[in-house]
Amino acid sequence: MGRFAVTIGVGHPYRGVLAEVEAVVDTGATHSMIPASLLEALGVQAYTDRMVGFANGTVETRPLGVARIAYGGEEWPCPVFFGPEDQYLLGATALEALGLVVDPTGERLVPVIYVARPF
């Protein structure tokens, strides 16, 4: 699957405005990553530090917090890493929270169709 970007909203987990940013959809990333400077400006707090592995093989410890992420009329609090200035990634936990999957042919995000099955 090729890499593609989408416009998302990012903000404080429970209040305030959303900043519109362009983020690369990265289904290989567990959590999203947004520049620390933007998260701090939006009032997002880091709650812990976690190790993050990057595609180039490096591993770093990064702050992890919760930010509100919006796309396609949905918005949910999602875990986010406080990243470097050039890292805008939309990860798997945000996609799941927002009820989205990747259409690899169309390089776009589409809503999940949930199937309910009786026991």
Side-chain angles (χ1 to χ4, degrees), residues 62-97:
R62 288 268 171 195
L64 180 69
V66 176
R68 185 168 28 122
I69 296 182
Y71 179 85
E74 294 280 333
E75 42 181 80
W76 285 93
C78 300
V80 293
F81 280 110
F82 286 59
E85 291 305 307
D86 61 344
Q87 292 288 319
Y88 292 87
L89 300 175
L90 184 63
T93 54
L95 294 174
E96 287 189 21

Side-chain angles (χ1 to χ4, degrees), residues 3 11 52 79-80:
R3 293 172 58 117
V52 181
V80 293

